[in-house]
Amino acid sequence: MAAEQLEEYARGFMVSQVLFASCELAVFDALAGGPQPAEVVAARVRGSVRATRLLLDAAAALGLLQVHAGSGGALYANSPAAAAHLTRAGPDSQRRLLGYLGGDAYRCWAHLADAVREGRSQHARAVGVASEDPFGAIFRSESARRRFLEAMEDAWGARGRSLLSALGPAAWPRVCDLGGGTGALARLWAELHPGSHVTVLERPEVVAAAQDGGRVSFRAGDFFADALPPADLYVLARVLHDWDDADCARLLARVRAAGGPGAQVLVLEALLDDDGRGPLPVLLSALTMLVQTRGRERSAPEYRALLAAAGFHGFRCVRPGGPLAAMLAGGALEETTGSGSAPTGSQPAPTGSESAPTGSEPAPTGSDSSPTGSEPAPTGSEPDMRGSDPALTGSEPALQDVTITDSK
């Protein structure tokens, strides 16, 4: 590795801060109406002209802004990406997500070395709240809770549609989104699948600020302690990675008991490679889990083992692009192996038994967490993820493990 690459890595936090500071100061909103000189931008963001020009030039060097020659000097304008993703009115705005990453997440990451030494969350050092429940720190105040939930809305707005579209037609009249925040993913589901009604189970303080509407309703509760709504499909979207294996096993057992033998579970998570050593975005997310939660990122076989141990036999994993995947389990799933939207071929069915993890007492529920990046939309027709038989009775036929990828 060349010294220049090491220097580039070392300056990575500076690049992040140019992006975070530009969002915090609303630089991209100040330029939403068209090109402006540094003096106008400085006035709009209430900044020093000299310092604002430095920030604008750095943002331009990163490709976030464009610079045009004007009669009175340089004019700055949003790049197409900034206009789409970094303004309040952008069609795929990620501004609130970046605000969260530049706040709590950045402060926790500053204590990564401490997290490695201790093997636990750094909220106590970063935000002054020590809690066994990571969401006790994340939701420590109304403003902190709002920032996190708004970040989740941006995250699912960017990548939720591609994941849910990859499932194909829905066969589940009753869907329950556990820890579904303010319902961003639930509303997408209802839009894509008119035959489903979605119930979001969330903490009371989150439900108090949410709004029922159409085929989406909310129920206050703790998914580790309270009765779960009856459903044909339970959705765990970026939830399991917040918890250790014992808590995941406990939650999945509760889902199994609430849904009965015919219910299925849909897990949306970023996936590590089977050897756990990649890809880089998921490894970075795994470190985020270390510094902010008591959970971890996992591979597809690890999720399959957790699901099977809870009684959700049969497993399908669809990756519509990027590190996030949709994993469906339960029911009599017919599984095949293939690439693209037309899976072909087969693999031998796995053998052997898998035991359920055991361990710690249940922790309070939290929302879909740790947003990262955005996912490209899938292309081509999508595989139907429905089980051919929703009932799960007696012994199941031999099923084959599968990862279906949508080739780009």
Side-chain angles (χ1 to χ4, degrees), residues 37-81:
E39 291 79 6
V40 171
V41 178
R44 290 179 178 178
V45 305
R46 299 182 180 181
S48 152
V49 173
R50 182 186 68 84
T52 299
R53 183 178 286 108
L54 284 173
L55 181 62
L56 295 174
D57 286 337
L62 292 172
L64 301 173
L65 298 178
Q66 298 173 342
V67 184
H68 306 287
S71 57
L75 298 176
Y76 299 88
N78 285 330
S79 68

Side-chain angles (χ1 to χ4, degrees), residues 120-125 127-140 203 243 291-294 363-364:
R120 61 185 175 88
S121 164
Q122 295 300 302
H123 276 122
R125 288 188 175 93
V127 301
V129 176
S131 174
E132 284 299 310
D133 169 18
F135 288 90
I138 293 171
F139 286 2
R140 65 191 178 277
R203 293 180 176 225
W243 307 101
V291 300
Q292 286 197 277
T293 76
R294 46 197 271 188

